[in-house]
Amino acid sequence: MPQTVLITGCSAGGIGHELAKVYFAKGVRVFATARRLESMNELASLGIETFALDVNKAESIEAVKQKITEINGGRLDILFNNAGKAYSLPNSDYDMNQVSELFNTNVVSIIAMCKAFTPLLIASGHGKIVNMSSILSFLPLPFAAAYCATKAALNAYGDSLRVELKPFNIDVITIMAGIIKSNIFNNADYKLPENSAYAGMRAYFDNKEHFAVEKQAMPADVFARSVVARTLKSSPPKTLWAGAFTTPAWIVSTFLPSWLLAKILGLGAGLPTFAKQLRADKKQA
Ligand SMILES: NC(=O)c1ccc[n+]([C@@H]2O[C@H](COP(=O)([O-])OP(=O)(O)OC[C@H]3O[C@@H](n4cnc5c(N)ncnc54)[C@H](OP(=O)(O)O)[C@@H]3O)[C@@H](O)[C@H]2O)c1
């Protein structure tokens, strides 16, 4: 019987879409899910089974769980929690509804998915949970504080869950993803409000390249090939690094003192120049 994987957030243009194709090419039975079925038309045309799933809706999770239970004899080998979103603004400009949705999508929904699918993973004999974290879980990037916090929470969640699921022979793998080409930057909200305390940095926020670093991002298919092979190992790593900038991110976070790392990231965002401008404005006033 082939192995099975359920992947969340498989819309075209994103990482989940490529993960589905690579698992399928390796002979794994793939249950690809996304909020909109039509965003997975290409996957369906390849023969991949597609299901509508909004990870923030309990009834949607339950419906997919029932379906997979029915069609796969109550078992699942790999639960790949990929769905997620970004949000990048100064904390003082946050829309708290967006922040709640961010935490629901990037953290709470993953807890709900793991809860729902643990019985199926136990039944498989050697289940695996793969959670999509980020190098931003440990890099103090300004204007991404809430996103960074969701990914750091996911790291801690995975570390604890790994211990408690050990008796059931379920591996928990945290992916420390670098920068990958996808729709995440286009889907995120960066619009600085008119009255922002950071209005003097508008040019920075209007330049999406600061966030997208598109040119250096790893293509999603290359990322997927690197990740899938390692999750299929009989003894997969607890933490799996993949994507552009993972090596420099590891080096600076391991060897630089935290104050220097914070200084470099602040400099990258132009914060010292902004602070200088604020001081000059204050003097003039
Ligand atoms: N790209 C990067 O550089 C990078 C780096 C580190 C980590 N990551 C992580 O990688 C994962 C995939 O992101 P991506 O880069 O591929 O971004 P993406 O292209 O925006 O894809 C995100 C996927 O998550 C789905 N999603 C969002 N909210 C959902 C919900 N409530 N229910 C179900 N699906 C939902 C999106 O569906 P819709 O199409 O319906 O919106 C989409 O399929 C995320 O967890 C992200 O944080 C990405």
Side-chain angles (χ1 to χ4, degrees), residues 84-88 94 102-103 106 132-134 136-137 143-152 184:
K85 59 181 279 157
Y87 188 48
S88 188
Y94 279 162
L102 185 75
F103 271 84
N106 291 4
M132 188 69 108
S133 185
S134 163
L136 293 186
S137 59
F143 310 126
Y147 179 79
C148 294
T150 64
K151 295 301 182 182
I184 197 160

Side-chain angles (χ1 to χ4, degrees), residues 9 11 15 35-36 54-55 82 147 151 178 180 182-183 187:
S11 317
I15 295 169
R35 284 187 285 199
R36 293 161 295 116
D54 183 331
V55 293
N82 165 72
Y147 179 79
K151 295 301 182 182
I180 304 112
S182 74
N183 294 323
N187 288 341

Side-chain angles (χ1 to χ4, degrees), residues 60-176:
S60 184
I61 293 179
E62 189 53 34
V64 172
K65 179 188 168 180
Q66 290 306 330
K67 191 79 202 161
I68 306 293
T69 302
E70 245 171 70
I71 64 176
N72 199 44
R75 287 186 303 276
L76 178 69
D77 297 300
I78 306 172
L79 169 63
F80 202 126
N81 291 308
N82 165 72
K85 59 181 279 157
Y87 188 48
S88 188
L89 277 176
N91 192 91
S92 46
D93 292 322
Y94 279 162
D95 169 341
M96 290 313 295
N97 290 326
Q98 291 260 23
V99 174
S100 296
E101 199 190 323
L102 185 75
F103 271 84
N104 282 336
T105 309
N106 291 4
V107 185
V108 180
S109 79
I110 291 173
I111 299 174
M113 286 294 291
C114 291
K115 176 177 182 217
F117 285 92
T118 292
L120 285 80
L121 294 166
I122 292 174
S124 91
H126 183 184
K128 292 172 187 164
I129 291 171
V130 188
N131 292 333
M132 188 69 108
S133 185
S134 163
I135 53 174
L136 293 186
S137 59
F138 58 85
L139 291 178
L141 188 73
F143 310 126
Y147 179 79
C148 294
T150 64
K151 295 301 182 182
L154 197 54
N155 296 352
Y157 171 67
D159 286 343
S160 181
L161 189 66
R162 183 177 303 117
V163 181
E164 85 184 43
L165 290 179
K166 189 88 184 148
F168 297 106
N169 200 26
I170 296 175
D171 290 318
V172 178
I173 303 161
T174 299
I175 300 193
M176 218 50 84

